[in-house]
Amino acid sequence: AQTVTQSQPEMSVQEAETVTLSCTYDTSESDYYLFWYKQPPSRQMILVIRQEAYKQQNATENRFSVNFQKAAKSFSLKISDSQLGDAAMYFCAYTALLQGAQKLVFGQGTRLTINP
Amino acid sequence: DAGITQSPRHKVTETGTPVTLRCHQTENHRYMYWYRQDPGHGLRLIHYSYGVKDTDKGEVSDGYSVSRSKTEDFLLTLESATSSQTSVYFCAISPDLDSPLHFGNGTRLTVT
């Protein structure tokens, strides 16, 4: 079975600094998607970024970028120029392709605190 | 959030009673999903639907049933609620297998 592990239950960073959240996953599949979701106190699950496993280029979305290491099964999220609005729970997630649905497997989450 | 609505937002019920949670979408998306969120576990898939009357089980389906009689509604039923089903329940939708899931705001269910 596929698993996703986030080894950092909590992280904190100074406003305007850079922080990296770690995620590792285990799968025997070759085609899959990886995601980072943000969950603020409002409880809403918000997609931050997505990476297709077949793409070697790391995905970026404005201040958010990933370091995707397929052989190591590692998928970290880098947040540059951290802002107070970035404070939230961050979840790493995985889904294999070709299984008839997007059956996301989530990590346990990392709580990110931004210090002003 | 526009496009997907979960009801109720909060519910408290007693052990042994039936409970139905509703997910309603206005996007005409084919795929709908139910997840539960518990501390230390992230989100886990309960059931999903790939069309009207087409549903299948997820990772943690025991004690739950679902129905989808029309495209816009996906119902999650706890036939006899137990305290272990106290959780936050999220519905998600997507138009196809390539588009990322879009989540609703969740329903907090407490079983006493």
Side-chain angles (χ1 to χ4, degrees):
Chain A
Q2 294 89 359
T3 59
V4 176
T5 302
Q6 294 178 247
S7 58
Q8 306 155 316
E10 298 182 350
M11 292 281 286
S12 63
V13 64
Q14 291 296 123
E15 192 176 3
E17 297 295 308
T18 295
V19 63
T20 298
L21 308 183
S22 301
C23 173
T24 58
Y25 59 96
D26 186 25
T27 183
S28 57
E29 303 289 339
S30 58
D31 294 324
Y32 51 87
Y33 291 152
L34 294 165
F35 307 84
W36 280 98
Y37 278 90
K38 169 186 178 181
Q39 187 178 43
S42 66
R43 203 166 73 194
Q44 178 72 34
M45 292 292 289
I46 302 166
L47 177 66
V48 175
I49 201 165
R50 184 179 79 167
Q51 176 78 44
E52 294 91 340
Y54 64 87
K55 290 186 177 179
Q56 292 187 346
Q57 186 173 8
N58 289 325
T60 63
E61 288 288 343
N62 301 314
R63 297 183 295 107
F64 299 87
S65 61
V66 298
N67 183 6
F68 173 48
Q69 301 290 327
K70 191 172 184 179
K73 295 179 183 175
S74 171
F75 183 61
S76 61
L77 175 69
K78 185 173 79 171
I79 306 174
S80 304
D81 186 26
S82 298
Q83 301 176 358
L84 294 178
D86 295 334
M89 283 290 288
Y90 285 81
F91 292 94
C92 179
Y94 158 99
T95 185
L97 303 183
L98 302 177
Q99 56 178 350
Q102 293 191 62
K103 303 176 187 178
L104 267 64
V105 177
F106 284 82
Q108 304 92 324
T110 296
R111 182 176 302 281
L112 178 64
T113 301
I114 312 296
N115 300 313
Chain B
D1 188 20
I4 180 170
T5 305
Q6 290 186 236
S7 58
R9 181 104 168 119
H10 305 275
K11 185 172 182 65
V12 179
T13 191
E14 294 184 349
T15 298
T17 60
V19 176
T20 295
L21 308 183
R22 181 187 186 223
C23 178
H24 178 78
Q25 59 141 332
T26 58
E27 305 294 331
N28 199 36
H29 285 178
R30 177 182 176 186
Y31 295 87
M32 300 185 76
Y33 304 81
W34 278 108
Y35 286 85
R36 61 177 287 175
Q37 183 178 25
D38 304 294
H41 286 279
L43 277 73
R44 291 179 292 174
L45 181 63
I46 305 171
H47 280 280
Y48 64 94
S49 170
Y50 47 96
V52 173
K53 292 185 168 51
D54 293 323
T55 66
D56 206 346
K57 296 178 180 180
E59 177 190 0
V60 290
S61 60
D62 287 348
Y64 301 95
S65 63
V66 291
S67 66
R68 191 170 179 199
S69 60
K70 23 183 197 173
T71 299
E72 57 266 35
D73 288 326
F74 191 33
L75 304 180
L76 177 70
T77 297
L78 291 65
E79 298 292 345
S80 177
T82 67
S83 59
S84 65
Q85 294 175 312
T86 292
S87 188
V88 178
Y89 291 86
F90 285 94
C91 177
I93 62 175
S94 68
D96 50 47
L97 294 176
D98 290 324
S99 301
L101 270 60
H102 178 58
F103 285 84
N105 289 328
T107 293
R108 180 176 295 279
L109 176 67
T110 302
V111 183
T112 61

